[in-house]
C-alpha cells in the first residue's frame, strides 16, 4: 500500500518537471530562434514559421505526456482499489472466522457441560426427570427455541414409552402433537424439526422435537450427542440390574402414536 501511494506522487512531480520544462521552452522559443532556419539548400523556414512548428510539436508532446500521466495514475488507482477490496474481503473473512471461533467456543462449553455435569446415572423416575430437564435446557440454549420435547418410542409398536416436554423458563406453550409413526419413518413434521437416536440394534427410538423450521449441521451434531446420551441413560436404567425398579417407573406407559 505505501509503495502504491508513493508512485502517483512521483508521477505528479515528474509530470510537473517535464511540463515546466516544456512550458519554459515554449516561452523562450522566440528568443532561442533568431532568423530563418535552413533545413536544406532549397528548404528554408522563416523564423515565425519554424517557431510555430516547434511550439506546436512541444504542445503535442505535453498533451501526450499528460495523457500518459493520467493513464498511469488511473491504473495505479485501479490497483489500489483492487487491493482495498481484497483487504476488505480478508477482513470480512477474519471477522467471520472470529465469530465462528467464538460460537465454537460456546458450543464446546455446551458439549463439556453435557458430558461432564452428570456425575452419576439416574436410578429413579425423579433422577431421569432431572436429566431430561438438564438436557432440555441445553437444547433450548443451542437452538434458541421456546420448548423441547423428548420422546422415547417403542420401534416395534410405535407407542410412546415415556416423554418429557420442557418449555423455556417464563414461556407458556401448548403441548405439540407429533405422530410417532412419522418420526419412525423419518417424515417431515413441519413446522417442527426433530433429531432421532442412531443406534440400530435397539428396539427403542429417542427423539428430540423442537419448534423450528430447520437446524444447522453443528446444532444437529450437538443435539445428536444429547439424544445418544439420553439413550444410554434409558438403557442403563432399564438394564437387568435395575429391572425391578424400572418396571415401577414405566408402568404407566402412554399409547400415543
Amino acid at each position: 500500500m505505501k509503495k502504491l501511494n508513493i508512485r502517483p506522487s512521483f508521477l505528479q512531480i515528474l509530470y510537473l518537471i517535464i511540463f515546466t520544462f516544456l512550458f519554459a521552452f515554449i516561452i523562450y522559443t522566440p528568443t532561442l530562434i533568431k532568423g530563418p532556419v535552413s533545413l536544406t539548400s532549397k528548404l528554408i523556414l522563416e523564423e515565425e514559421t519554424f517557431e510555430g512548428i516547434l511550439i506546436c510539436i512541444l504542445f503535442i508532446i505535453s498533451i501526450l505526456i499528460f495523457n500518459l500521466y493520467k493513464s498511469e495514475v488511473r491504473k495505479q488507482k485501479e490497483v489500489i482499489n483492487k487491493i482495498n477490496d481484497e483487504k476488505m474481503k480478508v477482513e470480512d473473512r477474519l471477522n467471520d472466522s472470529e465469530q465462528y471461533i467464538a460460537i465454537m467456543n460456546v458450543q464446546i462449553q455446551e458439549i463439556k457441560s453435557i458430558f461432564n455435569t452428570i456425575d452419576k446415572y439416574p436410578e429413579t423416575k425423579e433422577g431421569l426427570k432431572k436429566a431430561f430437564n438438564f438436557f432440555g435446557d441445553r437444547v433450548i440454549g443451542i437452538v434458541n427455541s421456546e420448548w423441547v420435547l423428548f420422546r422415547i418410542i417403542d420401534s416395534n409398536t410405535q407407542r410412546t414409552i415415556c416423554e418429557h416436554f420442557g418449555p423455556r423458563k417464563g414461556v407458556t406453550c401448548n403441548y405439540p402433537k407429533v405422530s410417532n409413526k412419522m418420526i419412525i419413518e423419518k417424515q417431515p413434521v413441519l413446522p417442527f424439526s426433530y433429531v432421532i437416536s442412531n443406534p440400530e440394534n435397539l428396539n427403542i427410538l429417542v427423539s428430540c422435537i423442537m419448534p423450528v423450521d430447520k437446524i444447522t449441521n453443528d446444532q444437529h451434531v450437538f443435539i445428536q450427542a444429547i439424544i445418544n446420551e439420553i439413550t444410554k441413560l434409558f438403557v442403563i436404567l432399564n438394564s437387568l440390574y435395575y429391572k425391578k425398579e424400572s418396571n415401577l417407573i414405566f408402568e404407566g406407559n402412554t399409547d400415543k402414536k
Side-chain angles (χ1 to χ4, degrees), residues 202-220:
L202 299 176
N203 60 352
I204 62 169
L205 185 146
V206 182
S207 62
C208 175
I209 306 163
M210 301 149 287
V212 293
D213 294 336
K214 60 181 179 180
I215 58 177
T216 65
N217 291 332
D218 291 339
Q219 291 172 339
H220 187 279

Side-chain angles (χ1 to χ4, degrees), residues 107-119 121 134-135 138 221-230 232:
Q107 293 175 341
I108 289 173
Q109 293 301 320
E110 289 288 344
I111 292 177
K112 289 182 178 179
S113 68
I114 291 171
F115 295 104
N116 296 338
T117 303
I118 297 179
D119 51 0
Y121 297 118
F134 170 77
F135 288 125
R138 301 286 81 74
V221 170
F222 298 138
I223 296 174
Q224 186 74 67
I226 292 175
I227 291 296
N228 292 339
E229 190 73 10
I230 292 175
K232 181 174 67 175

Side-chain angles (χ1 to χ4, degrees), residues 128-168:
L128 184 63
K129 184 177 180 180
K130 289 181 180 179
F132 275 135
N133 287 329
F134 170 77
F135 288 125
D137 290 341
R138 301 286 81 74
V139 172
I140 289 175
I142 293 172
V143 182
N144 192 25
S145 62
E146 293 184 351
W147 53 261
V148 62
L149 173 62
F150 293 115
R151 182 178 292 175
I152 303 178
I153 306 171
D154 188 316
S155 302
N156 297 324
T157 63
Q158 298 184 357
R159 296 182 183 277
T160 299
I161 298 175
C162 68
E163 64 180 13
H164 171 78
F165 177 71
R168 181 186 291 272

